[in-house]
Amino acid sequence: MASHRKSRPSATRVAGIRTPALATAALTSVALLSQTANAAPSEDGKPSLEEVEKKVDALYRQAESATEKYNAAKEKTGKQRKQADTLLDDVAERTDRLNKAREELGSFAAAQYRTGTGAPDTATFLLADSPQDYFDQTQLMSRLTSRQKDAVDDYATQQSATMAKRQEAAKSLETLTETQDDLKTAKTTVQTKLASARELLSQLTAQEKARLAEIEKQQQAAAARKAAELAKQQAAAAKDASSSSTSTSSGSSSSSSSSSSDSAYGTKAAKAIAFARAQVGKPYVWGATGPGSYDCSGLSQAAWKAAGVSLPRTTYDQVNAGTTVSLADAQPGDLVFFYDDVSHVGVYIGNGMMIHAPKPGAYVREESIYYGGESIIHSVVRPA
């Protein structure tokens, strides 16, 4: 994925604590699907329901990972295009200055030609590859007036600066082209993965689709139970912390500072959550940042922007845009990241639940952070 990220261990960790070895939601689905009568391939050679589920999950995951690559390339392309445009404008301006300096030298040459003073030397100067080449071979400068010398110096300066800017602009355009190629590649990958997933799903019968929906309900129920367990743990921890705080000196400056900080974060987090909740029901669209549709990182970015906090565009950068906390210490507003490649994110709302833009074909919704099992949770980050 992104080159700036540190390599991570093969097993997923949540705030430094190793989690179970299973690494994807698809494997969780397999555990449930294996209990059904569809575990074996059908007699007509069609893939089993289990196989389709695994492949579709994998394709959606790959599409989401490619989406974050697309988002990164798109953002980079935008910045590079602005830089290239600025450089090209600068080149045009410097070229104009160079032309004016050349015209002024030409007027001096014409005047010298009419008076018969130094015409050959001046003509040679104008035909030289560069002013310095000429100065190394002649004594023209000794015969020029102060104004003429200034004109020559200005021409030399403008020519050097213009050539440098032209080279810089050419390099910028070359880099922009490379990034645009990355953008096209990521876009093609997303489209290919989604098309493959749609093709697999289209092969299912209505009965098979209904059974997949039932399995998803079972997964959601299991995830909800896990979220309820986390909610109880967090409530107990909060109660213990409150008791401990009461038994210590409540007037200490450190306690006052911590309380003020928590209050400020809580206010911002409430605004971020309110925004995210208002987007529930809007479709997931890869590469989208709102207001009508979102992808996962587009939603988290927009939610915290509503709270006055600027987050980077991609999950790869958002995961580094704050303080990492343990899952047990997660607070509403924190960002929960998923998978070893950090390709998905949701806005935590408390009680083991989050608001996120799940995947293609789905809508922004509230869901347990355990929607794909505990093992896929990568980390929790407090962005403000």
Side-chain angles (χ1 to χ4, degrees), residues 243-256:
S243 299
S244 176
S245 176
T246 301
S247 63
T248 58
S249 174
S250 60
S252 67
S253 59
S254 60
S255 297
S256 176

Side-chain angles (χ1 to χ4, degrees), residues 174-186:
E174 180 181 349
T175 302
L176 174 60
T177 299
E178 292 174 353
T179 307
Q180 287 176 324
D181 289 341
D182 292 340
L183 185 66
K184 293 177 182 178
T185 298

Side-chain angles (χ1 to χ4, degrees), residues 68 71 288-289 295-302 312-315 318 345:
E68 289 305 310
N71 291 338
T289 57
D295 62 19
C296 66
S297 56
L299 177 64
S300 56
Q301 182 188 49
R313 173 64 181 95
T314 69
T315 54
Q318 288 180 10
V345 63

Side-chain angles (χ1 to χ4, degrees), residues 113-188:
Y113 182 79
R114 287 193 299 271
T115 60
T117 59
D121 285 337
T122 306
T124 301
F125 170 80
L126 291 175
L127 292 175
D129 291 335
S130 72
Q132 190 59 50
D133 290 342
Y134 179 78
F135 296 153
D136 291 340
Q137 303 172 36
T138 71
Q139 300 297 318
L140 175 63
M141 291 295 289
S142 64
R143 300 199 300 274
L144 295 180
T145 65
S146 175
R147 183 182 174 190
Q148 290 172 328
K149 290 179 181 179
D150 289 342
V152 170
D153 288 342
D154 182 54
Y155 178 82
T157 299
Q158 294 299 337
Q159 185 183 52
S160 177
T162 300
M163 291 178 63
K165 281 299 178 180
R166 283 175 179 169
Q167 293 175 352
E168 187 178 356
K171 181 63 176 177
S172 179
L173 289 172
E174 180 181 349
T175 302
L176 174 60
T177 299
E178 292 174 353
T179 307
Q180 287 176 324
D181 289 341
D182 292 340
L183 185 66
K184 293 177 182 178
T185 298
K187 181 177 182 179
T188 299

Side-chain angles (χ1 to χ4, degrees), residues 33-56:
L33 285 163
S34 63
Q35 301 172 11
T36 71
N38 295 282
S42 59
E43 295 180 357
D44 60 4
K46 290 177 59 177
S48 68
L49 194 58
E50 177 187 33
E51 292 171 332
V52 171
E53 168 78 356
K54 288 173 62 178
K55 290 180 180 179
V56 169

Side-chain angles (χ1 to χ4, degrees), residues 42-371:
S42 59
E43 295 180 357
D44 60 4
K46 290 177 59 177
S48 68
L49 194 58
E50 177 187 33
E51 292 171 332
V52 171
E53 168 78 356
K54 288 173 62 178
K55 290 180 180 179
V56 169
D57 276 354
L59 287 167
Y60 278 149
R61 281 278 301 108
Q62 292 164 10
E64 189 168 39
S65 181
T67 293
E68 289 305 310
K69 288 183 179 180
Y70 171 86
N71 291 338
K74 183 177 181 181
E75 184 177 45
K76 189 176 181 181
T77 296
K79 292 179 180 179
Q80 290 177 344
R81 182 175 287 112
K82 289 180 180 179
Q83 181 184 29
D85 288 344
T86 299
L87 287 171
L88 290 173
D89 288 342
D90 195 2
V91 167
E93 182 179 347
R94 289 182 181 278
T95 299
D96 184 58
R97 293 177 186 173
L98 182 63
N99 290 336
K100 290 180 179 178
R102 184 181 291 114
E103 289 173 1
E104 186 170 4
L105 284 176
S107 66
F108 287 140
Q112 290 176 327
Y113 182 79
R114 287 193 299 271
T115 60
T117 59
D121 285 337
T122 306
T124 301
F125 170 80
L126 291 175
L127 292 175
D129 291 335
S130 72
Q132 190 59 50
D133 290 342
Y134 179 78
F135 296 153
D136 291 340
Q137 303 172 36
T138 71
Q139 300 297 318
L140 175 63
M141 291 295 289
S142 64
R143 300 199 300 274
L144 295 180
T145 65
S146 175
R147 183 182 174 190
Q148 290 172 328
K149 290 179 181 179
D150 289 342
V152 170
D153 288 342
D154 182 54
Y155 178 82
T157 299
Q158 294 299 337
Q159 185 183 52
S160 177
T162 300
M163 291 178 63
K165 281 299 178 180
R166 283 175 179 169
Q167 293 175 352
E168 187 178 356
K171 181 63 176 177
S172 179
L173 289 172
E174 180 181 349
T175 302
L176 174 60
T177 299
E178 292 174 353
T179 307
Q180 287 176 324
D181 289 341
D182 292 340
L183 185 66
K184 293 177 182 178
T185 298
K187 181 177 182 179
T188 299
T189 301
V190 175
Q191 293 173 329
T192 300
K193 299 301 181 183
L194 294 182
S196 297
R198 286 192 293 268
E199 174 64 22
L200 284 172
L201 290 174
S202 70
Q203 297 173 8
L204 298 179
T205 65
Q207 183 180 16
E208 288 173 328
K209 290 179 181 178
R211 293 164 86 173
L212 278 180
E214 182 59 32
I215 291 171
E216 185 175 357
K217 288 183 180 179
Q218 294 176 19
Q219 293 173 332
Q220 291 175 344
R225 289 192 294 270
K226 189 70 177 176
E229 292 176 10
L230 176 62
K232 289 180 180 179
Q233 294 172 4
Q234 291 177 331
K239 184 177 180 180
D240 291 343
S242 178
S243 299
S244 176
S245 176
T246 301
S247 63
T248 58
S249 174
S250 60
S252 67
S253 59
S254 60
S255 297
S256 176
S257 176
S258 176
S259 176
S260 175
S261 177
D262 289 345
S263 177
Y265 179 76
T267 299
K268 293 179 180 179
K271 292 180 180 179
I273 292 173
F275 179 92
R277 186 165 280 127
Q279 313 313 307
V280 170
K282 293 183 179 180
Y284 174 104
V285 174
W286 66 275
T289 57
S293 58
Y294 298 88
D295 62 19
C296 66
S297 56
L299 177 64
S300 56
Q301 182 188 49
W304 271 101
K305 182 179 180 180
V309 176
S310 178
L311 291 181
R313 173 64 181 95
T314 69
T315 54
Y316 314 135
D317 293 325
Q318 288 180 10
V319 75
N320 296 315
T323 303
T324 301
V325 300
S326 68
L327 183 58
D329 292 331
Q331 294 181 15
D334 291 350
L335 300 180
V336 185
F337 294 89
F338 299 86
Y339 306 107
D340 283 345
D341 63 356
V342 199
S343 58
H344 189 68
V345 63
V347 180
Y348 190 63
I349 59 175
N351 297 324
M353 302 292 289
M354 67 177 173
I355 298 174
H356 70 148
K359 60 185 178 181
Y363 297 83
V364 175
R365 65 193 182 199
E366 293 186 15
E367 191 166 29
S368 167
I369 61 173
Y370 299 105
Y371 74 101

